[in-house]
Amino acid sequence: MLKPLLDTDVADEAPGYDEEHLLTFIRLLDASDEGADWREVSRIVLHVDSDKEPERAFTAWQTHLARAHWMTAIDIFFPVARCEARIW
């Protein structure tokens, strides 16, 4: 079942989605920092084939990456980092 894409302008629309896909958002940010091609990131991280569905793949990559950047701007990753610090 496909889930609808998130609107990055809506801050608290789907906090459960954000928590469930935290690793996905981190992987998107890492790939962006490394300059990875959006097609490859869409295929590997988001599991959307850019050859078969180029528009959907680009939109998924673009909106999820925007949300990942938004999440870093509001320090949504901070609790995770704090938790990891306790483990180490």
Side-chain angles (χ1 to χ4, degrees):
M1 181 172 138
L2 296 176
K3 295 182 180 180
L5 296 177
L6 297 177
D7 181 351
T8 58
D9 294 329
V10 180
D12 295 322
E13 183 175 316
Y17 183 90
D18 291 343
E19 291 172 9
E20 290 173 19
H21 295 88
L22 191 59
L23 183 58
T24 298
F25 292 120
I26 292 169
R27 291 178 72 196
L28 285 168
L29 291 169
D30 285 345
S32 178
D33 286 347
E34 294 174 6
D37 184 90
W38 71 266
R39 293 168 206 66
E40 183 179 9
V41 176
S42 176
R43 182 175 48 80
I44 295 170
V45 178
L46 300 174
H47 308 287
V48 181
D49 188 338
S50 62
D51 291 333
K52 293 180 182 177
E53 300 177 281
E55 189 174 318
R56 178 174 171 253
F58 180 78
T59 301
W61 168 80
Q62 185 179 45
T63 57
H64 281 78
L65 182 59
R67 183 131 185 124
H69 283 293
W70 170 80
M71 291 168 70
T72 61
I74 64 160
D75 281 338
I76 201 163
F77 293 125
F78 179 71
V80 173
R82 189 174 56 215
C83 180
E84 287 178 357
R86 287 188 202 142
I87 294 170
W88 298 106

Coordinates of all heavy atoms in Angstrom, one line a residue:
M1 N 0.8 -1.2 0.0 CA 0.0 0.0 0.0 C 0.9 1.2 0.0 O 1.8 1.4 0.8 CB -0.9 0.0 1.2 CG -1.8 1.2 1.3 SD -2.9 0.9 2.7 CE -2.9 2.5 3.4
L2 N 0.6 2.2 -0.9 CA 1.4 3.4 -1.0 C 0.9 4.4 0.1 O -0.3 4.5 0.3 CB 1.3 4.0 -2.4 CG 1.8 3.2 -3.5 CD1 1.5 3.9 -4.8 CD2 3.3 3.0 -3.3
K3 N 1.8 5.1 0.7 CA 1.5 6.1 1.6 C 1.6 7.5 0.9 O 2.4 7.6 0.1 CB 2.5 6.1 2.8 CG 2.4 4.8 3.7 CD 3.3 4.9 4.8 CE 3.2 3.7 5.6 NZ 4.1 3.7 6.8
P4 N 0.7 8.4 1.3 CA 0.8 9.7 0.6 C 2.1 10.4 1.0 O 2.6 10.2 2.1 CB -0.4 10.4 1.2 CG -0.8 9.7 2.4 CD -0.3 8.3 2.2
L5 N 2.6 11.3 0.1 CA 3.8 12.0 0.4 C 3.4 13.1 1.5 O 2.3 13.6 1.5 CB 4.3 12.7 -0.8 CG 4.8 11.7 -1.9 CD1 5.2 12.5 -3.2 CD2 5.9 10.9 -1.4
L6 N 4.4 13.5 2.3 CA 4.2 14.5 3.3 C 4.3 15.9 2.8 O 5.2 16.1 1.9 CB 5.2 14.3 4.4 CG 5.1 12.9 5.1 CD1 6.3 12.8 6.2 CD2 3.8 12.8 5.8
D7 N 3.6 16.8 3.3 CA 3.7 18.2 3.0 C 4.7 18.8 4.0 O 4.3 18.8 5.2 CB 2.3 18.9 3.1 CG 2.4 20.3 2.7 OD1 3.5 20.9 2.6 OD2 1.3 20.9 2.6
T8 N 5.8 19.2 3.6 CA 6.8 19.7 4.5 C 6.4 21.0 5.2 O 7.0 21.4 6.2 CB 8.2 20.0 3.9 OG1 8.0 20.9 2.8 CG2 8.8 18.7 3.4
D9 N 5.3 21.7 4.7 CA 4.9 22.9 5.3 C 4.0 22.6 6.6 O 3.6 23.5 7.3 CB 4.0 23.7 4.3 CG 4.9 24.2 3.2 OD1 6.1 24.5 3.5 OD2 4.4 24.4 2.1
V10 N 3.6 21.3 6.8 CA 2.8 21.0 7.9 C 3.6 20.3 8.9 O 4.0 19.2 8.8 CB 1.6 20.0 7.4 CG1 0.7 19.7 8.6 CG2 0.8 20.7 6.3
A11 N 3.9 21.0 10.0 CA 4.9 20.6 11.0 C 4.5 19.3 11.7 O 5.3 18.4 11.8 CB 5.1 21.7 12.0
D12 N 3.3 19.2 12.2 CA 2.9 18.0 13.0 C 2.0 17.1 12.4 O 1.2 16.4 13.0 CB 2.4 18.5 14.3 CG 3.4 19.3 15.1 OD1 4.6 18.9 15.1 OD2 3.0 20.3 15.8
E13 N 1.9 17.1 11.0 CA 1.0 16.2 10.3 C 1.1 14.8 10.6 O 0.2 14.0 10.8 CB 1.1 16.5 8.8 CG 0.0 15.7 8.0 CD 0.1 16.1 6.6 OE1 0.2 17.3 6.3 OE2 0.0 15.2 5.8
A14 N 2.4 14.3 10.6 CA 2.6 12.8 10.8 C 3.8 12.5 11.6 O 4.8 12.0 11.1 CB 2.7 12.2 9.4
P15 N 3.8 12.9 12.9 CA 5.0 12.6 13.7 C 5.3 11.1 13.8 O 6.5 10.7 13.8 CB 4.7 13.1 15.1 CG 3.2 13.3 15.1 CD 2.8 13.5 13.7
G16 N 4.4 10.2 13.7 CA 4.6 8.8 13.7 C 5.4 8.4 12.5 O 6.3 7.5 12.5
Y17 N 5.0 8.9 11.3 CA 5.7 8.6 10.1 C 7.2 9.1 10.2 O 8.1 8.3 9.8 CB 5.0 9.4 8.9 CG 5.7 9.1 7.6 CD1 5.2 8.0 6.8 CD2 6.7 9.8 7.1 CE1 5.7 7.7 5.6 CE2 7.3 9.5 5.9 CZ 6.8 8.4 5.1 OH 7.4 8.1 3.9
D18 N 7.4 10.2 10.8 CA 8.8 10.7 10.9 C 9.6 9.8 11.8 O 10.7 9.4 11.5 CB 8.8 12.1 11.6 CG 8.2 13.2 10.6 OD1 8.2 12.9 9.4 OD2 7.9 14.2 11.1
E19 N 9.0 9.3 12.9 CA 9.7 8.4 13.8 C 10.0 7.1 13.1 O 11.1 6.5 13.2 CB 8.9 8.2 15.1 CG 8.9 9.5 15.9 CD 7.9 9.3 17.1 OE1 7.4 8.2 17.3 OE2 7.6 10.3 17.7
E20 N 9.0 6.5 12.4 CA 9.2 5.2 11.7 C 10.2 5.3 10.6 O 10.8 4.3 10.3 CB 7.8 4.8 11.2 CG 6.8 4.4 12.2 CD 5.4 4.2 11.6 OE1 5.4 3.9 10.4 OE2 4.4 4.2 12.3
H21 N 10.4 6.4 10.0 CA 11.3 6.6 8.9 C 12.5 7.4 9.1 O 13.1 7.9 8.2 CB 10.5 7.1 7.7 CG 9.4 6.2 7.2 ND1 8.1 6.2 7.7 CD2 9.4 5.2 6.3 CE1 7.4 5.3 7.2 NE2 8.2 4.6 6.3
L22 N 12.9 7.5 10.4 CA 14.0 8.3 10.8 C 15.3 7.9 10.1 O 16.0 8.7 9.5 CB 14.2 8.2 12.3 CG 15.2 9.2 12.9 CD1 14.8 10.6 12.7 CD2 15.3 8.9 14.4
L23 N 15.5 6.6 9.9 CA 16.7 6.1 9.2 C 16.7 6.5 7.7 O 17.7 6.9 7.2 CB 16.8 4.6 9.4 CG 18.0 4.0 8.7 CD1 19.3 4.6 9.3 CD2 18.0 2.5 8.9
T24 N 15.5 6.5 7.2 CA 15.3 6.9 5.8 C 15.8 8.4 5.6 O 16.5 8.7 4.7 CB 13.9 6.7 5.3 OG1 13.6 5.3 5.3 CG2 13.7 7.3 3.9
F25 N 15.3 9.2 6.5 CA 15.6 10.6 6.5 C 17.2 10.8 6.6 O 17.8 11.7 6.0 CB 14.9 11.4 7.5 CG 13.4 11.5 7.2 CD1 12.5 11.0 8.1 CD2 12.9 12.1 6.0 CE1 11.1 11.1 7.8 CE2 11.6 12.2 5.7 CZ 10.6 11.7 6.6
I26 N 17.8 10.1 7.5 CA 19.2 10.2 7.8 C 20.0 9.7 6.5 O 20.9 10.4 6.1 CB 19.6 9.4 9.0 CG1 19.1 10.0 10.3 CG2 21.1 9.2 9.1 CD1 19.2 9.2 11.5
R27 N 19.5 8.7 5.9 CA 20.1 8.2 4.7 C 20.0 9.2 3.5 O 20.9 9.4 2.7 CB 19.5 6.8 4.3 CG 19.9 5.7 5.2 CD 19.2 4.4 4.8 NE 19.9 3.9 3.6 CZ 19.4 2.9 2.9 NH1 18.2 2.4 3.1 NH2 20.0 2.5 1.8
L28 N 18.9 9.9 3.4 CA 18.7 10.9 2.4 C 19.7 12.0 2.6 O 20.2 12.6 1.7 CB 17.2 11.4 2.4 CG 16.2 10.5 1.9 CD1 14.8 11.0 2.2 CD2 16.3 10.4 0.3
L29 N 19.8 12.5 3.9 CA 20.7 13.6 4.2 C 22.2 13.1 3.9 O 22.9 13.9 3.3 CB 20.6 14.0 5.6 CG 19.3 14.7 6.0 CD1 19.2 14.8 7.5 CD2 19.2 16.0 5.3
D30 N 22.6 11.9 4.2 CA 23.9 11.4 3.9 C 24.1 11.4 2.4 O 25.2 11.8 1.9 CB 24.1 10.0 4.5 CG 24.3 10.0 6.0 OD1 24.6 11.1 6.6 OD2 24.2 9.0 6.6
A31 N 23.2 10.9 1.7 CA 23.3 10.8 0.2 C 23.4 12.2 -0.4 O 24.2 12.4 -1.3 CB 22.1 10.1 -0.4
S32 N 22.7 13.1 0.1 CA 22.7 14.5 -0.3 C 24.1 15.1 -0.1 O 24.7 15.8 -1.0 CB 21.6 15.3 0.3 OG 21.7 16.7 -0.1
D33 N 24.6 14.9 1.1 CA 25.9 15.4 1.5 C 27.0 14.8 0.6 O 28.0 15.5 0.3 CB 26.3 15.1 2.9 CG 25.5 16.0 3.9 OD1 24.9 17.0 3.4 OD2 25.5 15.6 5.1
E34 N 26.8 13.6 0.1 CA 27.8 12.9 -0.7 C 27.6 13.3 -2.2 O 28.4 12.9 -3.1 CB 27.7 11.4 -0.6 CG 28.2 11.0 0.8 CD 28.0 9.5 1.1 OE1 27.6 8.8 0.1 OE2 28.2 9.0 2.2
G35 N 26.5 14.0 -2.5 CA 26.3 14.4 -3.9 C 25.7 13.3 -4.8 O 25.9 13.3 -6.0
A36 N 25.1 12.3 -4.1 CA 24.5 11.2 -4.9 C 23.4 11.6 -5.8 O 22.7 12.6 -5.5 CB 24.0 10.1 -3.9
D37 N 23.3 10.9 -7.0 CA 22.3 11.2 -7.9 C 20.9 10.9 -7.4 O 20.7 9.8 -6.8 CB 22.5 10.4 -9.2 CG 21.6 10.8 -10.3 OD1 21.9 11.7 -11.1 OD2 20.5 10.1 -10.4
W38 N 19.9 11.8 -7.6 CA 18.6 11.6 -7.0 C 17.9 10.3 -7.5 O 17.2 9.6 -6.8 CB 17.7 12.8 -7.3 CG 17.2 12.9 -8.8 CD1 17.9 13.7 -9.7 CD2 16.1 12.3 -9.4 NE1 17.2 13.5 -10.9 CE2 16.1 12.7 -10.7 CE3 15.1 11.4 -8.9 CZ2 15.2 12.3 -11.6 CZ3 14.2 11.0 -9.8 CH2 14.2 11.4 -11.2
R39 N 18.3 9.8 -8.7 CA 17.7 8.6 -9.3 C 18.1 7.4 -8.5 O 17.3 6.5 -8.2 CB 18.0 8.4 -10.7 CG 17.5 9.5 -11.7 CD 18.1 9.4 -13.0 NE 18.2 10.5 -13.9 CZ 18.8 11.7 -13.6 NH1 19.5 11.8 -12.6 NH2 18.7 12.7 -14.5
E40 N 19.4 7.4 -8.1 CA 20.0 6.3 -7.4 C 19.4 6.3 -5.9 O 19.0 5.2 -5.4 CB 21.5 6.4 -7.3 CG 22.2 5.3 -6.6 CD 23.7 5.4 -6.6 OE1 24.2 6.4 -7.1 OE2 24.3 4.4 -6.2
V41 N 19.3 7.5 -5.4 CA 18.8 7.6 -4.0 C 17.3 7.2 -4.0 O 16.9 6.4 -3.1 CB 19.0 9.0 -3.5 CG1 18.3 9.2 -2.1 CG2 20.4 9.4 -3.4
S42 N 16.6 7.6 -4.9 CA 15.2 7.2 -5.0 C 15.0 5.7 -5.1 O 14.2 5.1 -4.4 CB 14.5 7.9 -6.2 OG 13.2 7.5 -6.3
R43 N 15.8 5.1 -5.9 CA 15.7 3.6 -6.1 C 16.2 2.9 -4.8 O 15.5 1.9 -4.4 CB 16.6 3.2 -7.3 CG 16.5 1.7 -7.6 CD 17.3 1.3 -8.8 NE 18.6 1.9 -8.9 CZ 19.7 1.4 -8.3 NH1 19.6 0.3 -7.5 NH2 20.9 2.0 -8.4
I44 N 17.3 3.3 -4.3 CA 17.9 2.5 -3.1 C 17.2 2.8 -1.8 O 16.9 1.9 -1.0 CB 19.4 2.8 -3.0 CG1 20.1 2.2 -4.3 CG2 20.0 2.2 -1.8 CD1 21.6 2.6 -4.4
V45 N 17.0 4.1 -1.5 CA 16.5 4.5 -0.2 C 15.0 4.5 -0.2 O 14.4 4.1 0.8 CB 17.1 5.9 0.2 CG1 16.5 6.4 1.5 CG2 18.6 5.9 0.2
L46 N 14.3 5.0 -1.2 CA 12.9 5.2 -1.2 C 12.2 4.0 -1.9 O 11.0 3.9 -1.9 CB 12.5 6.5 -1.8 CG 13.0 7.7 -1.1 CD1 12.7 9.0 -1.9 CD2 12.5 7.8 0.3
H47 N 12.9 3.2 -2.6 CA 12.4 2.0 -3.3 C 11.4 2.4 -4.4 O 10.3 1.8 -4.6 CB 11.7 1.0 -2.3 CG 12.6 0.6 -1.2 ND1 13.7 -0.2 -1.4 CD2 12.7 1.0 0.1 CE1 14.4 -0.3 -0.2 NE2 13.8 0.4 0.7
V48 N 11.7 3.5 -5.1 CA 10.9 4.0 -6.2 C 11.8 4.0 -7.5 O 12.8 4.6 -7.5 CB 10.3 5.4 -6.0 CG1 9.4 5.8 -7.2 CG2 9.5 5.4 -4.7
D49 N 11.4 3.2 -8.5 CA 12.2 3.0 -9.7 C 12.1 4.3 -10.6 O 11.0 4.5 -11.1 CB 11.8 1.8 -10.4 CG 12.7 1.5 -11.6 OD1 13.4 2.4 -12.1 OD2 12.7 0.3 -12.0
S50 N 13.2 5.0 -10.7 CA 13.1 6.3 -11.5 C 13.0 6.0 -13.0 O 12.6 6.9 -13.8 CB 14.3 7.1 -11.2 OG 15.5 6.5 -11.6
D51 N 13.4 4.8 -13.5 CA 13.2 4.5 -14.9 C 11.7 4.2 -15.2 O 11.3 4.6 -16.3 CB 14.0 3.2 -15.2 CG 15.5 3.5 -15.2 OD1 15.9 4.7 -15.4 OD2 16.3 2.6 -15.0
K52 N 11.0 3.6 -14.3 CA 9.6 3.2 -14.5 C 8.7 4.4 -14.2 O 7.6 4.5 -14.8 CB 9.2 2.0 -13.8 CG 9.9 0.7 -14.2 CD 9.5 -0.5 -13.4 CE 10.3 -1.7 -13.9 NZ 10.0 -2.9 -13.1
E53 N 9.0 5.1 -13.1 CA 8.1 6.2 -12.6 C 9.0 7.4 -12.3 O 9.1 7.8 -11.1 CB 7.4 5.7 -11.3 CG 6.5 4.5 -11.5 CD 5.9 4.1 -10.2 OE1 6.6 3.4 -9.4 OE2 4.7 4.5 -10.0
P54 N 9.5 8.1 -13.3 CA 10.4 9.2 -13.1 C 9.8 10.3 -12.3 O 10.5 10.9 -11.4 CB 10.9 9.6 -14.5 CG 9.9 9.0 -15.4 CD 9.3 7.8 -14.7
E55 N 8.6 10.7 -12.6 CA 8.0 11.8 -11.9 C 7.7 11.5 -10.4 O 8.0 12.3 -9.5 CB 6.7 12.2 -12.6 CG 6.1 13.5 -12.0 CD 4.8 13.9 -12.8 OE1 4.9 13.8 -14.1 OE2 3.9 14.4 -12.2
R56 N 7.2 10.3 -10.2 CA 6.9 9.9 -8.8 C 8.2 9.8 -8.0 O 8.3 10.2 -6.9 CB 6.2 8.5 -8.8 CG 5.9 8.0 -7.4 CD 5.0 6.8 -7.4 NE 5.0 6.2 -6.1 CZ 5.6 5.1 -5.7 NH1 6.3 4.4 -6.6 NH2 5.6 4.6 -4.5
A57 N 9.3 9.2 -8.7 CA 10.6 9.0 -8.0 C 11.2 10.4 -7.6 O 11.6 10.6 -6.5 CB 11.5 8.3 -8.9
F58 N 11.1 11.3 -8.6 CA 11.7 12.7 -8.3 C 10.9 13.4 -7.2 O 11.5 13.9 -6.2 CB 11.7 13.5 -9.5 CG 12.3 14.9 -9.3 CD1 13.7 15.1 -9.2 CD2 11.5 16.0 -9.1 CE1 14.2 16.3 -8.9 CE2 12.0 17.2 -8.9 CZ 13.4 17.4 -8.8
T59 N 9.6 13.3 -7.2 CA 8.7 13.9 -6.2 C 9.0 13.3 -4.8 O 9.1 14.0 -3.8 CB 7.3 13.8 -6.6 OG1 7.1 14.5 -7.9 CG2 6.4 14.5 -5.6
A60 N 9.1 12.0 -4.8 CA 9.3 11.3 -3.5 C 10.7 11.7 -2.9 O 10.8 12.1 -1.8 CB 9.3 9.8 -3.7
W61 N 11.7 11.7 -3.8 CA 13.0 12.2 -3.3 C 13.0 13.6 -2.9 O 13.5 13.9 -1.8 CB 14.0 12.0 -4.5 CG 15.3 12.6 -4.2 CD1 16.3 12.1 -3.4 CD2 15.8 13.9 -4.7 NE1 17.4 13.0 -3.4 CE2 17.1 14.1 -4.2 CE3 15.2 14.8 -5.6 CZ2 17.8 15.2 -4.5 CZ3 15.9 16.0 -5.9 CH2 17.2 16.2 -5.3
Q62 N 12.4 14.5 -3.7 CA 12.4 15.9 -3.4 C 11.7 16.2 -2.1 O 12.2 17.0 -1.2 CB 11.8 16.7 -4.5 CG 11.9 18.2 -4.4 CD 11.2 18.8 -5.6 OE1 10.2 18.4 -6.1 NE2 11.9 19.8 -6.1
T63 N 10.5 15.7 -1.9 CA 9.7 16.0 -0.7 C 10.3 15.3 0.6 O 10.3 16.0 1.6 CB 8.2 15.5 -0.9 OG1 8.2 14.1 -1.2 CG2 7.6 16.3 -2.0
H64 N 10.8 14.1 0.4 CA 11.4 13.5 1.6 C 12.7 14.2 2.0 O 13.0 14.3 3.2 CB 11.6 12.0 1.4 CG 10.3 11.2 1.5 ND1 9.4 11.1 0.5 CD2 9.9 10.4 2.5 CE1 8.4 10.4 0.9 NE2 8.7 9.9 2.1
L65 N 13.5 14.6 1.1 CA 14.7 15.3 1.4 C 14.4 16.6 2.0 O 15.0 17.0 3.0 CB 15.6 15.5 0.1 CG 16.9 16.2 0.4 CD1 17.8 15.4 1.4 CD2 17.7 16.3 -0.9
A66 N 13.4 17.3 1.5 CA 13.0 18.6 2.1 C 12.5 18.4 3.5 O 12.8 19.2 4.4 CB 11.8 19.2 1.3
R67 N 11.8 17.3 3.8 CA 11.3 17.1 5.1 C 12.5 16.7 6.0 O 12.5 17.2 7.2 CB 10.3 15.9 5.2 CG 9.8 15.6 6.5 CD 8.3 15.5 6.5 NE 7.7 15.4 7.9 CZ 6.8 16.2 8.4 NH1 6.4 17.2 7.7 NH2 6.4 16.0 9.6
A68 N 13.5 16.0 5.5 CA 14.7 15.7 6.3 C 15.4 17.0 6.7 O 15.8 17.1 7.8 CB 15.6 14.7 5.5
H69 N 15.5 17.9 5.8 CA 16.2 19.2 6.1 C 15.4 19.9 7.1 O 15.9 20.5 8.0 CB 16.4 20.0 4.8 CG 17.5 19.5 4.0 ND1 18.8 19.6 4.4 CD2 17.6 19.0 2.8 CE1 19.6 19.2 3.5 NE2 18.9 18.7 2.4
W70 N 14.1 19.9 7.0 CA 13.2 20.6 7.9 C 13.4 20.0 9.3 O 13.4 20.7 10.3 CB 11.7 20.5 7.5 CG 10.7 20.9 8.5 CD1 10.4 22.2 8.8 CD2 10.0 20.1 9.4 NE1 9.5 22.2 9.8 CE2 9.2 20.9 10.2 CE3 9.9 18.7 9.6 CZ2 8.4 20.4 11.2 CZ3 9.1 18.2 10.6 CH2 8.3 19.1 11.3
M71 N 13.5 18.7 9.4 CA 13.6 18.0 10.6 C 14.9 18.4 11.3 O 15.0 18.5 12.5 CB 13.6 16.5 10.4 CG 12.2 16.0 10.1 SD 12.2 14.3 9.5 CE 12.5 13.4 11.0
T72 N 16.0 18.6 10.6 CA 17.2 19.0 11.2 C 17.1 20.5 11.6 O 17.8 20.8 12.6 CB 18.4 18.9 10.2 OG1 18.2 19.7 9.0 CG2 18.6 17.4 9.8
A73 N 16.4 21.3 10.9 CA 16.2 22.7 11.3 C 15.5 22.8 12.6 O 15.8 23.8 13.3 CB 15.5 23.4 10.2
I74 N 14.6 21.9 12.9 CA 13.9 22.0 14.2 C 14.5 21.1 15.3 O 13.8 20.9 16.3 CB 12.4 21.8 14.0 CG1 12.1 20.4 13.6 CG2 11.8 22.8 13.1 CD1 10.7 19.9 13.8
D75 N 15.6 20.5 15.0 CA 16.3 19.6 15.9 C 15.5 18.4 16.3 O 15.5 17.9 17.4 CB 16.7 20.3 17.2 CG 18.0 21.1 17.0 OD1 18.7 20.8 16.1 OD2 18.2 22.1 17.8
I76 N 14.7 17.8 15.4 CA 13.9 16.6 15.6 C 14.9 15.4 15.9 O 14.5 14.5 16.5 CB 12.9 16.4 14.5 CG1 11.8 15.5 15.1 CG2 13.5 15.7 13.3 CD1 10.5 15.4 14.3
F77 N 16.1 15.5 15.3 CA 17.0 14.4 15.5 C 17.7 14.5 16.9 O 18.4 13.5 17.3 CB 18.1 14.4 14.4 CG 17.6 14.1 13.0 CD1 17.8 15.0 12.0 CD2 16.9 13.0 12.8 CE1 17.3 14.7 10.7 CE2 16.4 12.7 11.5 CZ 16.6 13.5 10.5
F78 N 17.6 15.6 17.6 CA 18.3 15.8 18.8 C 18.0 14.7 19.9 O 18.9 14.2 20.5 CB 18.0 17.2 19.4 CG 18.7 17.4 20.7 CD1 20.1 17.6 20.8 CD2 18.0 17.4 21.9 CE1 20.7 17.8 22.0 CE2 18.6 17.6 23.1 CZ 20.0 17.8 23.2
P79 N 16.7 14.3 20.1 CA 16.5 13.2 21.0 C 17.2 11.9 20.7 O 17.6 11.2 21.5 CB 15.0 13.1 21.0 CG 14.5 14.4 20.5 CD 15.5 14.9 19.6
V80 N 17.3 11.7 19.4 CA 18.0 10.4 18.9 C 19.5 10.5 19.3 O 20.1 9.6 19.8 CB 17.8 10.2 17.4 CG1 18.6 9.0 16.9 CG2 16.3 10.0 17.1
A81 N 20.1 11.7 19.0 CA 21.5 11.8 19.3 C 21.7 11.7 20.8 O 22.7 11.2 21.3 CB 22.0 13.2 18.8
R82 N 20.8 12.3 21.6 CA 21.0 12.3 23.0 C 20.9 10.8 23.5 O 21.6 10.4 24.4 CB 19.9 13.1 23.7 CG 20.1 13.3 25.2 CD 19.0 14.3 25.7 NE 17.7 13.9 25.4 CZ 16.7 14.7 25.1 NH1 16.9 16.0 25.1 NH2 15.5 14.2 24.9
C83 N 20.0 10.1 22.9 CA 19.8 8.7 23.3 C 21.0 7.9 22.9 O 21.5 7.1 23.7 CB 18.6 8.1 22.6 SG 18.3 6.4 23.0
E84 N 21.6 8.1 21.8 CA 22.8 7.4 21.3 C 24.0 7.7 22.3 O 24.8 6.9 22.5 CB 23.1 7.7 19.9 CG 22.2 7.1 18.9 CD 22.5 7.5 17.5 OE1 23.4 8.3 17.3 OE2 21.8 7.0 16.6
A85 N 24.0 9.0 22.7 CA 25.1 9.4 23.6 C 25.1 8.6 24.9 O 26.1 8.2 25.5 CB 25.0 10.9 23.9
R86 N 23.9 8.2 25.4 CA 23.8 7.5 26.6 C 24.2 6.0 26.4 O 24.7 5.4 27.3 CB 22.3 7.4 27.1 CG 21.9 8.8 27.6 CD 20.5 8.6 28.2 NE 19.9 9.9 28.3 CZ 18.6 10.2 28.1 NH1 17.8 9.2 27.8 NH2 18.1 11.4 28.2
I87 N 24.0 5.5 25.2 CA 24.4 4.1 24.9 C 25.9 4.0 24.8 O 26.5 3.0 25.3 CB 23.8 3.7 23.5 CG1 22.2 3.6 23.7 CG2 24.3 2.3 23.1 CD1 21.5 3.4 22.4
W88 N 26.6 5.0 24.2 CA 28.0 4.9 24.1 C 28.7 5.3 25.3 O 29.6 5.1 25.8 CB 28.5 5.8 22.9 CG 27.9 5.4 21.6 CD1 26.9 6.0 20.9 CD2 28.3 4.2 20.9 NE1 26.7 5.3 19.8 CE2 27.5 4.2 19.7 CE3 29.2 3.2 21.0 CZ2 27.5 3.2 18.8 CZ3 29.2 2.2 20.1 CH2 28.4 2.2 18.9

